[in-house]
Amino acid sequence: MPHQTGNPWTVLSSTTQYENPWIEVIEHKVLAPTGKPGLYGVVRPRSLATGVVAIDGEGRVTLVGQHRFPLDQYSWEIPEGGGDKSVDPQLSAARELREETGQTARHWLPLMTMHLSNCITDEVAHTFLAWGVEEGAACPDDTEALSVRRVPFAEAVAMAMTGAITDSMSVASLLKVQLMALNGSLPDDVARLIRS
């Protein structure tokens, strides 16, 4: 099946309907690929999303629990947060790891770049694998009430598979690390931790 590489949408006008320090909501008057007139709303986050699968010396993954306001439910996730778009995403991910868990890591490996909910937002996420973890004091934002737990890597993957973890960045990143472990594409020192 051939795919179209050009943009089949025609934007007639664009108006910012709402904005705050974190997001902008833009309404586009468009002609759809079929030529039919319509509206398309796009949410534009002002930050990059970042996430970290942090593996400690015992092969455990650090998870952060918090109540997610939009869903009105509690969520276990890898450490995540926003970063300035002009800053290296790994630096932002390292800052979030330190703030939320107190951990720092000596080794980093980029895992993936993801588009989150790409039908309504242009949000981009960058996730990383981190190991050589050292513990320290957490300093979460004053809007965050967080719980931190460390679980064996296999347990974290099982949580993603059973739906105990539903956050898309967490699920995708944990499964990517699992796949990398299975196909032998992880550095030996972190592969040994995951298998232990």
Side-chain angles (χ1 to χ4, degrees), residues 153-166:
F153 177 75
E155 183 178 336
V157 170
M159 291 173 72
M161 293 296 291
T162 62
I165 296 175
T166 60

Side-chain angles (χ1 to χ4, degrees), residues 8-109:
W9 293 82
T10 301
V11 177
L12 303 174
S13 66
S14 301
T15 307
T16 297
Q17 296 293 334
Y18 174 78
E19 61 184 319
N20 65 32
W22 302 279
I23 63 167
E24 180 181 18
V25 180
I26 301 170
E27 181 180 88
H28 301 281
K29 291 186 179 175
V30 298
L31 295 178
T34 59
K36 183 178 179 180
L39 295 175
Y40 210 119
V42 176
V43 179
R44 287 218 163 120
R46 300 196 188 276
S47 300
L48 289 174
T50 64
V52 185
V53 177
I55 308 288
D56 71 10
E58 297 176 37
R60 299 176 302 176
V61 174
T62 301
L63 298 177
V64 175
Q66 62 185 304
H67 189 91
R68 285 299 191 181
F69 185 91
L71 302 176
D72 191 21
Q73 69 183 42
Y74 203 79
S75 177
W76 285 102
E77 307 164 3
I78 62 175
E80 298 174 352
D84 188 308
K85 291 180 180 181
S86 67
V87 173
D88 180 342
Q90 183 178 313
L91 295 176
S92 296
R95 176 186 45 76
E96 285 293 335
L97 179 64
R98 186 176 59 255
E99 287 177 0
E100 293 188 354
T101 71
Q103 292 180 324
T104 56
R106 291 188 303 278
H107 307 289
W108 289 81
L109 181 69

Side-chain angles (χ1 to χ4, degrees), residues 77-147:
E77 307 164 3
I78 62 175
E80 298 174 352
D84 188 308
K85 291 180 180 181
S86 67
V87 173
D88 180 342
Q90 183 178 313
L91 295 176
S92 296
R95 176 186 45 76
E96 285 293 335
L97 179 64
R98 186 176 59 255
E99 287 177 0
E100 293 188 354
T101 71
Q103 292 180 324
T104 56
R106 291 188 303 278
H107 307 289
W108 289 81
L109 181 69
L111 283 178
M112 59 178 48
T113 298
M114 301 172 59
H115 293 108
L116 308 177
S117 195
N118 64 5
C119 64
I120 61 166
T121 179
D122 63 357
E123 185 172 26
V124 176
H126 299 277
T127 67
F128 300 87
L129 176 62
W131 68 102
V133 168
E134 296 180 4
E135 302 293 338
C139 52
D141 292 339
D142 57 9
T143 60
E144 295 177 318
L146 306 177
S147 299

